[in-house]
Amino acid sequence: SPGVGGGERVSATMEANRESAIDALTKARAKKDAGDHASAVRLAEKSLRICKTEEAQAFLDFLVKFGPGSEAAKAIDRVLQAADHYAVLDVAPDADAPAVKRAYQQRALKIHPDKNHAAGAQQAFQRLNEAHNTLSDPAKRREYDLKRPAASGSAAQAGPAWGAAAGWHSKPQPQPRPRPPGAQQP
């Protein structure tokens, strides 16, 4: 009968599409492992166009959430590119112990390798721990501050070494004009 033969063709076509989708997804995973994020996304999307599967959708969601340019990857980059421990924690050099602890906890939630699967999460978390351990111990912090290039100053004197990396951009403050000797203050 004509109905039975047509159903077999549809079933065979669906199975071929499913196999093609699985093949595209396998290639997408290989591209991700090789570090080619753009190709991995393209192949995962192709897999979904051919045959929508939960597995392909979950993989694409993962790529979008943790791939380059994602918020997760940006959080990792901010820590890895920070100029010093203060920038890693995004605190001012005069931050007290509770502020250091709060900053550490907030950053740890965002970059812990168990939660953030972006490239570099392990290294960023190690750097975050190092910064926290150093800045939360008064003796280690004093020693660290003495070794810092801008150790003897305020945030303005520290300049881009920590301020720009932390996202704090202050305008230069106008300096008062020197008064001639013997002039009175206004």
Side-chain angles (χ1 to χ4, degrees):
S1 81
V4 173
E8 289 174 9
R9 279 194 304 269
V10 170
S11 179
T13 302
M14 287 177 58
E15 186 58 33
N17 284 346
R18 183 165 175 74
E19 288 177 17
S20 295
I22 290 170
D23 184 50
L25 185 57
T26 301
K27 289 177 182 176
R29 286 193 174 113
K31 291 291 186 178
K32 178 206 167 269
D33 292 343
D36 188 353
H37 180 76
S39 293
V41 168
R42 184 179 51 76
L43 286 164
E45 289 171 341
K46 178 180 179 179
S47 175
L48 284 170
R49 281 191 308 272
I50 296 170
C51 180
K52 291 193 184 282
T53 63
E54 288 181 24
E55 186 179 5
Q57 186 62 57
F59 184 69
L60 182 60
D61 292 346
F62 177 88
L63 291 173
V64 170
K65 185 174 182 180
F66 299 112
S70 67
E71 286 303 312
K74 288 177 185 176
I76 299 296
D77 289 343
R78 280 191 295 271
V79 170
L80 293 176
Q81 295 173 4
D84 66 7
H85 289 337
Y86 293 103
V88 167
L89 291 170
D90 197 14
V91 296
D94 60 352
D96 60 3
V100 169
K101 183 178 180 178
R102 256 190 325 273
Y104 169 76
Q105 289 171 338
Q106 290 171 351
R107 287 271 170 119
L109 286 173
K110 291 181 182 176
I111 67 166
H112 193 283
D114 289 346
K115 294 203 177 250
N116 187 333
H117 302 285
Q122 185 68 37
Q123 295 86 353
F125 192 67
Q126 288 172 348
R127 185 152 190 229
L128 180 70
N129 281 330
E130 179 185 340
H132 176 255
N133 290 337
T134 300
L135 299 181
S136 62
D137 181 320
K140 289 179 182 177
R141 186 172 182 169
R142 274 192 300 277
E143 184 180 331
Y144 177 77
D145 285 342
L146 290 173
K147 292 180 181 178
R148 282 181 64 225
S152 64
S154 66
Q157 290 173 334
W162 73 272
W168 296 329
H169 305 284
S170 60
K171 294 180 182 174
Q173 298 297 318
Q175 299 297 319
R177 290 185 180 180
R179 293 190 196 111
Q184 292 182 334
Q185 289 185 338

